[in-house]
Amino acid sequence: KTRKLQLNLIRSHACGVGESLPAPIVRRMLLLKANALAAGFSGARPLMADMLLGLLNADVLPVVPSQGSVGASGDLAPLAHIGLAMIGEGEALQAGAELSGADVPRAAGFEPLEPQAKEGLALLNGTQLSLALALDGLFQAERLLDASIVAGALTVEGLAGSHAPFDPRIHAASGLPGQATVAQRLRSLLTDSEILRSHEDCGRVQDPYAVRCMPQVFGAVENTLNHARQVLGAAINAVSDNPLIFGDDILSGGNFHAEPVGFISDFLAIAVAELASIAERRIDLLDRRVNPNLNMFLASEPGLESGFMMAHVTAAALVSENKTLAHPASVDSVPTSAGQEDHVSMAPWAGRKLLAICANTARVLGIELLAAARAVDAMRPLTTTPELERVHAFVREHVPQRQHDHRLDRDIETLAGLVRSGA
């Protein structure tokens, strides 16, 4: 009956619904679960970790539905679908080919698992989905901050903006390390330029906040990323199932509660949403002729052409979506299991929302890069800084300059893809 219980747990907990998780998330889940079992506190044989790594190394990826976990008692339903694959009753993909039943473990070089005492429970308990999503969000957020710094600097030049707000003395006075770091990165792009020298004696006193306060906002994001790295770095090597085995002692606790990870996903969601929010304001500044050298909406023939008017509308729509998605998931809890699991983290939903925000933000930054490059085009023959000339050339390599109205959707997706890739 002890062995039968383990099979029953895997079968009964396989209640996931919705779209299947993408391959990179499943790969990360396999690695994280193997690492947790290998720590030796779960009462599972080494065979269990070996099988998980076998699936990973053979790229036999269990089909894991994305919905159905509340992130307490672990990510039970998603991990049960991995368990199904291991016992020869689930589904998987290998190089696009569908596998099912006993063919799944055999494709990885193993016979179907016959779980022994505690092994089914050790598979199901754990925060591996919550953690895999949060890590993906962290990695994407790092790239989005990088792209925000580059796009924001290009916009400064496109607006004929001031470089003074990035002076190191201002940011040393703040005492915030992330802010000083970001300001230095902006300065490395905003060196000397013909555009800067062309407006040395202009009458504009200060730029709007979306330009002037980039170090403060981006610095807050950098500080958030640092916090996320610390928490998630520890969580990667954590043992999050239950009960845990310490020699002769078997202790029941709550390491499966994903609240620490859920908080991080929610915090990252707020930070990334702000990257999009402030970028949308800079797009609006480019559109509304703050720089007198530009036409309204960056149009070649104002009145006859719409220019970038609708590109800004798209950015506004995406930013509005982000504001709703940034509402924290971890403040919610629905009691389950007849009240035994009476407070849950909702960390998987926090992670899935975070990834949606990241996708939206990449597109907003793609729009900003497109608009800023157009503004720099309009400033010719004046050149921007040598560093930003390379950025401008990179944009134009992928999206050639076209003067008059044309469809922008493909240009936006091209640049959003480059943002997501870190290029």
Side-chain angles (χ1 to χ4, degrees), residues 68-319:
S69 174
V70 296
S73 234
D75 295 316
L76 296 170
L79 290 167
H81 286 272
I82 291 177
L84 277 183
M86 294 171 69
I87 66 174
E89 298 181 11
E91 297 78 39
L93 295 173
Q94 185 181 36
E98 296 181 4
L99 303 171
S100 63
D103 289 341
V104 175
R106 286 171 182 157
F110 294 86
E111 287 301 308
L113 175 70
E114 297 180 8
Q116 302 302 303
K118 178 63 168 66
E119 290 183 339
L121 193 57
L123 265 179
L124 305 187
N125 262 180
T127 61
Q128 282 74 38
L129 172 59
S130 300
L131 182 53
L133 293 168
L135 286 166
D136 205 55
L138 171 61
F139 302 149
Q140 289 194 46
E142 290 173 334
R143 293 191 290 271
L144 292 168
L145 176 58
D146 291 344
S148 295
I149 292 169
V150 171
L154 194 62
T155 294
V156 170
E157 287 287 270
L159 291 170
S162 173
H163 294 194
F166 313 112
D167 188 292
R169 292 167 292 185
I170 295 173
H171 307 291
S174 77
L176 296 169
Q179 179 177 324
T181 297
V182 166
Q184 189 279 325
R185 294 180 65 188
L186 285 162
R187 288 195 304 277
S188 74
L189 296 168
L190 294 167
T191 55
D192 190 32
S193 75
E194 291 179 356
I195 292 176
L196 176 66
R197 292 194 297 273
S198 74
H199 60 89
E200 283 178 333
D201 299 317
C202 74
R204 196 191 313 169
V205 177
Q206 296 185 109
D207 292 318
Y209 289 1
V211 176
R212 194 195 332 162
C213 297
M214 284 193 295
Q216 288 76 14
V217 175
F218 294 171
V221 174
E222 175 61 28
N223 290 335
T224 302
L225 296 182
N226 279 331
H227 176 55
R229 292 179 192 113
Q230 293 172 6
V231 175
L232 299 182
I236 285 170
N237 288 312
V239 180
S240 55
D241 68 293
N242 180 67
L244 299 180
I245 316 300
F246 301 93
D248 293 333
D249 295 327
I250 302 174
L251 301 179
S252 292
N255 280 1
F256 51 68
H257 201 297
E259 192 88 318
V261 177
F263 277 9
I264 292 299
S265 287
D266 280 337
F267 201 0
L268 286 171
I270 291 169
V272 175
E274 281 297 274
L275 290 179
S277 181
I278 195 169
E280 179 272 327
R281 290 292 80 210
R282 293 193 299 272
I283 296 165
D284 181 58
L285 292 173
L286 289 163
D287 263 7
R288 66 165 68 198
R289 205 169 174 265
V290 169
N291 178 355
N293 297 293
L294 307 179
N295 290 330
M296 195 71 178
F297 300 121
L298 300 170
S300 297
E301 297 184 48
L304 181 64
E305 297 184 347
S306 297
F308 278 62
M309 179 180 72
M310 286 307 299
H312 170 245
V313 171
T314 298
L318 294 171
V319 166

